[in-house]
Amino acid sequence: MSTAQLGALSTAMIYAAMAAYAVALVSFAIDISALGDRGPLHRRRRAAAVGMSTTVLAAVFHTAGVALRGLAAGRVPWANMYEFCLVFSLVAVLVFLAFSRGRDIRYLGSLVVGPALLALGLAVTVFFVAADGVQPALQSYWLVIHVSVATIAVGVLTVGAAFSVLQLLRARGDGGPQAERSAVPVGPGGGLAEVDAQVGEGAPVLVDSGALPVVTDPEPDGGGRARGALGGAIERIRQALPSAPELERLAYRLNAVGFVLWTFTLVAGAIWAEAAWGRYWGWDPKEVWTFVIWVVYAGYLHARGTRGWSGTRAAAFSLVGYGCILLNFFAVNLVLTGLHSYSGL
Amino acid sequence: MGQDDAARRDRHARRAAAAAVAVDAQPGRGPYRPAGLDDAFRAAGGPTEEPPVQPALGVVGWIRWVWRQLTSMRVALLLLMLLAVAALPGSLFPQRPQAPERVVRYLEDNPALGPWLDRLGFFDVYASVWFSAIYLLLFISLVGCILPRAAAHLRALRADPPRVPRSFDRFAVRAEAVVETTPDEARRAALRALRGRYRARVGEEDAPGGDVRTLTVRAERGYLRETGNLVFHLALVGVLVGVALGGLFGYRGQVLVIEGRGFANAVVAYDSFDAGVWFRDEALEPFTLALEQFGAEFDPLTLRPRDFAAAVTVTEAGEVERDAVIKVNSPLRVGGARIYLVGNGYAPTVTVRDGSGEVAFAGSVPFLPQDGVYTSRGVIKVPDVSAGGPQLGFVGFLLPTAVLDGQDARSVFPQPLNPVLVLTAYAGDLGLDDGVPQNVYELDTSAMGLVASDGVVDPRRPTDAEPLTLLLEPGQTVELPDGLGSITFDALPRFAALDLRHDPMIGAVLIFALLAIAGLGTSLFVPRRRMWVRLTPGPDGRTVVAAAALARGEDPGLRLDLDRVVDAVRLTSRENT
C-alpha cells in the first residue's frame, strides 16, 4: 500500500472511531440521565453497558488509526498538532478503560469520551495535515521519548481532571448521609505536604490512615439548594456518584502519575533542547507553560496535604492545571511564536 | 516611641498567636493523638508544634515568626502559585535574552505602555527582581522545611517502629485468628513473613492473668518514601544551584561562517559573545574551525526542510585537522565546548567597482532568510571607494529560485535553482566614519541619496523618483548610472550560523534532574505501612493472634500484606498439628 493510501486509511479509521465515540457518548448520557430519573445504582444499566462496549470498539479503531498514521509517515505518529490530538485522546480513553477494570467508573464515561470526541473533531477539521516526514529539528530519538511521554501525561491528566470535575460536583452542597461517610481522612499526603498533613489526628474515625487531610463537604445542606426538575435530576445524579473522597482518591492517583510523567517530559525536553538548540532551558513560550503546569500540579500535591484545606480546593488546583495544559496545547502552539512552532499549521 | 514599639510588638504577637491557633486548632477537640499514630514527621518542627508565641516578641521573636511563616506549607503554596503566575508574562511579552529585536519593535508599537513595562522588568521577566524574589523565597522556604525533616527522617531511620496500640479496634485493616501453636512459634512465623520487607521489633506485654506473657511484633516499611521526598526536594535545590553556577562560569558565542571560510576560537572572532561574570578569557581553548560545505535538503512538495548538515574541519591545539559534520540535533564537541548549528542561509559573493574602475568591495555578504523559501534580506556596504567618490550601499533581497512576474519577483523554492539578487542602490555617506558601531544588516540612509534610473536623488530633497531596481544573476554585472561604478554577482555560497556554548555545570544539573525524578517517583509510589501483631496465650496451648495494619493514605496492598503475615502464622499452626 502506498503512503497516501495508508494515510487515507488512517483518517478513515479515525472517522470510524469518532462515530463509535458518538454512540458511546449518547449511551453514557442516557445512562446518566436515567440515574437522574430513577436513581440508584443497583439496577441494570443497559445504556452504560452499550457505552462501554462502543468505547472499546472506538478505541480499537482509534488505535488502528494512530498506528496507520505512523506507518504512513514512516515515523512515530506524534509530530504535529493533529497527531498530538489523536494520541492524547487515545491515551485518555485507554486510561479510562484500564481504570474500569475492577471498579465501576461508567459514570465517568461521558466526561472522557466527550473530550476525546471533541479532540478528534478538532483534529480532523482544524489541525489535519497529510502524513509526512519531519523537519531537521525533530529528527531525534527524543521525539519518541519526550513527546510520547508528554502526550501520555496529557491523556492521564485528562482523566484525572474528569474525576476532579465530578468530585467538585459531588462535594458541592453535599448533604445527608453521604456527609458522614465522606468525612473520613483520605489520600496520601503527597510529597512535602506530609509535614502539615496531620489533620486526621483528632478524628475519632481513623480508617487506615494516619496523617491525612480530611476531604470535607463544606455545605452540609446543599441538597435543599437544588430546585426544580432539572435541579432535582442533577441532585439525583450527584447522589448516585461515589463520595467526594472516593472521587478525590481516584483523581489523585491519576494526577500523581501524570505529575511524574510531566516532570519526566520537562527533563527530557531540557535534554533534547540542549542537543538541538544548545541550551537546556531558554524560557521559550512552550517551556514557560510546561514549567507553569508543573508548578500548578506541584501546588496541587501540596494543597492536598495542607492542613485545613479541603479536597475541594485541591481539585480546583487540578482543574487549573488542566486548563493550563489546554492553553499550552492550543494557545501556545497557535498564537505565541517560539521554537516549538512545529504544529504543522 | 517606646510605647509605639511596644504596641506594634503586641500586635505582631497577637497576629502570630492567632495564626498559630488558626492552624493548630480543631474546634472542640483536644490534642488527642491515638497510640501508634504518632509520626516521625511530627518532630520535624513544623510551625504548629511550637508553643503559642509569647506577647513580648522582640526582634528575635519577630524573625522566628517570619521564618515559621516562610517555612509553612501555606506560604510555600502561595509562593508556588505566585511563581506560576509570575512566569506567564515571559511567554506573552517579547523577552530581551531571546528576541531583542521583538522587544524593540514592541517598544516602538507601544510608546505609552512599553517603557513602563520595561521599567517593571516585563521584557526580561526571568531576571527581574520580582521573579527572582519569588523563587529565592520559595527555595528558602523549601530548605527551611526540608532540613528539619531530613534530620527527623534520619532519627526515624534509627528509631524502632512505633509501639503496639492497646486496642486494634480502631483499625480498618485488621485480622484475628486462633492458632494451635505457642505464641513464640507464632511470632517466629510472623517475623519470617515480615523479613526483608519490614523492619520489625519484638516485645512483650503482661498477659491477662497467667504466667505466659503476651508477645508482640511491631513493624514498619516504606522509609524510602520519605527518603525519596527529601531527595526530590534537595535535588531541586541542586538544579537551581547548578543553573546559577553554570550561568556564572559559562559562555556563549555566536558566529556566522560562510562556506570556504572559518574562524578561530577567540572572543574577538565571535559576532556576539556572552559570558558569565566569573568567566575568564583563558577558559577558551584554542581551535580553528572552517566550514567546507553546507548541505540542505528540502521536501519538493511541502518545501519543508528535510536535512541540514555543515561539513567542517576542526583543528585543535597540537592536533591534526579532522573532519566533522554538525547537524541540528547533533552538536560538535570541541575544546570543552559544544558547537550547535542554529541557522543557515545564503551569502552572495559580489564585487563592487567604483567610478574609477577600482575594486572597492569583493566578498560574500550574509543575507538573512525571511521565510520558508529563503527570500533573504541583506545589505552591502561599500565604504572604501576611491578618494572623492561617494560611498555606496545596497539594500535588497536574494531570491534563491526567482520567478519574475511583471514588476514582482519572488522566490518559490529554497534551493538556489535560479538565484537572483534584487537590489536598490544608495550613494553618499554610510555614516561609518564617526566610529559608532552599526548594524551590518541595516543601512543608514540619512546621508545617502537613492540611486534612481536618471541619477542620484538628493537625500535632503526627497522626490517621488522611482528607485533603480538592480536585478543580477550569477556572473552578471550591472553598471550604475552617473558613473558611480558597477556591481557583479559572482557566486552564491551558503553560510551556517553556529552557536558555541560551554556550561561547566551541565552534567551536574542533569544528574540532579534525574535524581529529582527518581525521588519523586519513590515519594509518590512507595507505600509506607505499619503493622502490629499481638500473640496472646489462650486455653489449651492455643494462641490468639490479633494483627492490625496502617498505611499512609489509600493502599490496596495493605490488606494483602496483613493477610500474608496472618496466613503465615496459620500455616505454621497447621504444619504443627
Side-chain angles (χ1 to χ4, degrees):
Chain A
M1 232 190 288
S2 79
T3 303
Q5 281 172 316
L6 282 172
L9 191 58
S10 159
T11 315
M13 285 293 173
I14 296 301
Y15 275 107
M18 287 172 66
Y21 281 134
V23 174
L25 181 62
V26 171
S27 308
F28 282 126
I30 290 173
D31 173 57
I32 288 276
S33 67
L35 285 181
D37 279 345
R38 275 168 287 150
L41 301 161
H42 303 297
R43 67 198 168 73
R44 278 186 65 199
R45 290 160 62 189
R46 203 171 293 130
V50 171
M52 286 308 281
S53 32
T54 41
T55 304
V56 171
L57 181 70
V60 171
F61 284 131
H62 197 158
T63 311
V66 169
L68 286 170
R69 176 81 185 182
L71 283 178
R75 53 169 167 76
V76 287
W78 46 77
N80 52 46
M81 284 187 77
Y82 172 73
E83 292 163 358
F84 299 146
C85 273
L86 255 52
V87 176
F88 99 78
S89 53
L90 177 62
V91 171
V93 170
L94 292 181
V95 166
F96 168 70
L97 291 176
F99 246 56
S100 294
R101 297 167 62 90
R103 63 175 79 68
D104 183 3
I105 55 165
R106 291 178 293 181
Y107 53 83
L108 196 72
S110 48
L111 275 182
V112 174
V113 170
L117 185 59
L118 200 65
L120 290 187
L122 269 177
V124 294
T125 53
V126 182
F127 300 138
F128 183 79
V129 285
D132 194 7
V134 290
Q135 50 180 299
L138 292 181
Q139 288 163 7
S140 166
Y141 55 89
W142 286 106
L143 175 67
V144 182
I145 302 168
H146 165 69
V147 188
S148 68
V149 175
T151 29
I152 291 171
V154 172
V156 170
L157 292 171
T158 301
V159 185
F163 275 117
S164 292
V165 168
L166 286 186
Q167 183 204 335
L168 285 183
L169 181 73
R170 189 70 177 81
R172 197 172 144 267
D174 205 346
Q178 295 286 343
E180 288 295 312
R181 229 193 303 151
S182 55
V184 299
V186 295
L192 197 60
E194 289 171 358
V195 159
D196 279 36
Q198 300 277 332
V199 176
E201 61 197 3
V205 277
L206 272 161
V207 182
D208 75 348
S209 81
L212 302 160
V214 173
V215 175
T216 50
D217 299 305
E219 298 166 40
D221 63 346
R225 287 157 29 108
R227 304 249 185 275
L230 183 65
I234 290 174
E235 184 56 27
R236 277 194 298 276
I237 292 169
R238 228 171 53 71
Q239 294 294 343
L241 292 174
S243 68
E246 172 68 17
L247 291 167
E248 133 77 10
R249 262 199 295 275
L250 293 168
Y252 167 73
R253 287 176 61 178
L254 287 165
N255 286 335
V257 172
F259 181 69
V260 175
L261 292 174
W262 197 257
T263 311
F264 183 84
T265 302
L266 208 146
V267 173
I271 296 172
W272 187 8
E274 203 276 326
W277 301 325
R279 83 287 185 291
Y280 53 84
W281 195 262
W283 297 108
D284 174 72
K286 200 84 181 184
E287 291 172 342
V288 172
W289 279 85
T290 302
F291 173 74
V292 166
I293 291 162
W294 187 82
V295 168
V296 171
Y297 274 101
Y300 162 79
L301 292 179
H302 287 83
R304 291 186 79 253
T306 300
R307 176 192 286 256
W309 276 42
S310 65
T312 314
R313 268 196 248 187
F317 270 92
S318 129
L319 290 183
V320 168
Y322 192 69
C324 288
I325 286 181
L326 293 182
L327 280 175
N328 186 28
F329 184 61
F330 293 109
V332 175
N333 280 8
L334 299 180
V335 182
L336 303 175
T337 53
L339 292 166
H340 278 80
S341 311
Y342 308 119
S343 58
L345 283 177
Chain B
M1 195 59 194
Q3 276 191 339
D4 280 352
D5 279 346
R8 202 176 308 134
R9 275 203 301 274
D10 199 22
R11 270 202 307 280
H12 278 308
R14 276 203 302 271
R15 218 177 294 149
V21 168
V23 177
D24 210 10
Q26 284 262 333
R29 284 171 189 163
Y32 165 72
R33 194 183 294 274
L37 293 171
D38 67 330
D39 203 284
F41 305 144
R42 197 158 51 87
T48 59
E49 299 300 325
E50 304 291 326
V53 181
Q54 298 303 309
L57 203 54
V59 177
V60 176
W62 199 84
I63 291 170
R64 276 159 57 92
W65 178 78
V66 168
W67 179 249
R68 259 183 240 131
Q69 289 297 309
L70 190 60
T71 53
S72 78
M73 185 60 69
R74 272 154 201 275
V75 173
L77 201 53
L78 181 77
L79 288 169
L80 262 179
M81 290 305 100
L82 274 177
L83 186 69
V85 173
L88 288 181
S91 74
L92 304 175
F93 297 104
Q95 298 293 297
R96 271 218 178 82
Q98 282 85 32
E101 71 289 347
R102 285 179 56 218
V103 175
V104 172
R105 210 180 312 143
Y106 188 93
L107 285 170
E108 281 167 5
D109 295 349
N110 300 277
L113 188 61
W116 278 103
L117 290 174
D118 200 6
R119 237 162 279 165
L120 294 172
F122 276 85
F123 299 123
D124 194 1
V125 166
Y126 308 106
S128 70
V129 177
W130 37 277
F131 189 79
S132 313
I134 292 169
Y135 75 74
L136 287 177
L137 280 175
L138 186 64
F139 272 89
I140 292 170
S141 167
L142 192 157
V143 170
C145 193
I146 215 74
L147 286 184
R149 281 185 74 158
H153 185 54
L154 283 179
R155 279 196 299 277
L157 284 176
R158 287 196 304 268
D160 288 343
R163 287 192 320 276
V164 184
R166 269 192 301 280
S167 161
F168 291 162
D169 293 346
R170 288 177 297 104
F171 294 92
V173 179
R174 59 176 194 266
E176 275 168 29
V178 179
V179 295
E180 303 280 342
T181 55
T182 63
D184 198 44
E185 281 168 320
R187 184 165 73 177
R188 255 179 280 148
L191 286 174
R192 266 199 304 279
L194 289 168
R195 191 185 307 148
R197 299 181 305 120
Y198 279 76
R199 181 202 301 201
R201 292 284 178 276
V202 295
E204 287 185 4
E205 291 173 359
D206 288 327
D211 348 323
V212 195
R213 287 169 65 82
T214 295
L215 303 183
T216 59
V217 178
R218 44 187 168 141
E220 182 161 14
R221 59 150 291 164
Y223 296 92
L224 211 54
R225 185 185 181 89
E226 175 71 354
T227 309
N229 183 26
L230 296 171
V231 166
F232 169 68
H233 285 91
L234 290 173
L236 290 187
V237 179
V239 168
L240 183 77
V241 172
V243 169
L245 288 179
L248 290 172
F249 284 108
Y251 61 85
R252 173 194 178 191
Q254 289 181 302
V255 62
L256 196 149
V257 190
I258 296 162
E259 278 177 322
R261 299 221 218 139
F263 77 102
N265 188 29
V267 173
V268 290
Y270 291 100
D271 300 330
S272 75
F273 193 86
D274 301 308
V277 289
W278 291 349
F279 166 80
R280 301 260 172 275
D281 284 4
E282 304 88 83
L284 285 180
E285 291 180 33
F287 69 85
T288 59
L289 182 146
L291 179 63
E292 301 299 329
Q293 205 210 339
F294 189 87
E297 289 171 28
F298 298 87
D299 188 289
L301 292 175
T302 62
L303 306 185
R304 284 202 230 153
R306 280 268 170 271
D307 192 32
F308 295 130
V312 299
T313 52
V314 184
T315 316
E316 292 186 68
E319 286 181 37
V320 292
E321 185 180 276
R322 64 182 165 105
D323 293 329
V325 175
I326 310 176
K327 290 191 166 205
V328 174
N329 267 306
S330 70
L332 172 70
R333 191 182 288 276
V334 59
R338 297 230 241 173
I339 301 173
Y340 300 86
L341 177 62
V342 293
N344 66 84
Y346 294 101
T349 310
V350 295
T351 306
V352 179
R353 289 170 195 278
D354 62 17
S356 55
E358 298 293 323
V359 174
F361 177 87
S364 299
V365 183
F367 275 47
L368 301 183
Q370 308 290 309
D371 56 23
V373 288
Y374 281 62
T375 307
S376 308
R377 190 177 182 282
V379 166
I380 303 165
K381 298 182 185 181
V382 187
D384 301 321
V385 289
S386 305
Q391 293 178 330
L392 297 173
F394 301 87
V395 185
F397 289 93
L398 170 81
L399 311 173
T401 301
V403 172
L404 297 178
D405 181 13
Q407 280 297 315
D408 289 332
R410 60 195 177 87
S411 180
V412 295
F413 197 66
Q415 299 283 28
L417 302 181
N418 177 32
V420 168
L421 266 176
V422 184
L423 297 175
T424 306
Y426 289 84
D429 183 2
L430 285 166
L432 291 168
D433 300 334
D434 54 8
V436 179
Q438 272 192 11
N439 187 336
V440 294
Y441 300 107
E442 298 294 336
L443 189 66
D444 177 9
T445 58
S446 59
M448 301 194 85
L450 184 67
V451 177
S453 47
D454 53 351
V456 183
V457 177
D458 191 330
R460 282 158 299 186
R461 278 183 293 143
T463 61
D464 51 0
E466 278 289 304
L468 177 66
T469 303
L470 312 171
L471 292 179
L472 291 120
E473 289 177 21
Q476 231 177 354
T477 303
V478 173
E479 292 289 334
L480 298 174
D482 270 5
L484 287 167
S486 68
I487 177 165
T488 309
F489 182 6
D490 299 316
L492 189 60
R494 294 177 193 259
F495 72 81
L498 301 176
D499 232 12
L500 179 121
R501 284 172 188 260
H502 176 59
D503 181 348
M505 297 304 289
I506 197 161
V509 171
L510 177 65
I511 288 169
F512 280 123
L514 296 179
L515 270 178
I517 294 181
L520 180 67
T522 314
S523 80
L524 289 175
F525 303 126
V526 168
R528 178 131 191 202
R529 297 174 187 152
R530 287 168 184 175
M531 202 182 294
W532 299 276
V533 185
R534 180 173 279 123
L535 305 143
T536 313
D540 314 327
R542 295 180 184 186
T543 300
V544 179
V545 183
L550 185 69
R552 223 171 232 298
E554 184 200 26
D555 187 346
L558 187 66
R559 165 63 66 182
L560 295 175
D561 253 15
L562 186 75
D563 287 349
R564 193 178 317 171
V565 172
V566 175
D567 286 349
V569 176
R570 279 208 190 98
L571 202 66
T572 317
S573 145
R574 222 169 294 138
E575 281 163 5
N576 284 2
T577 50

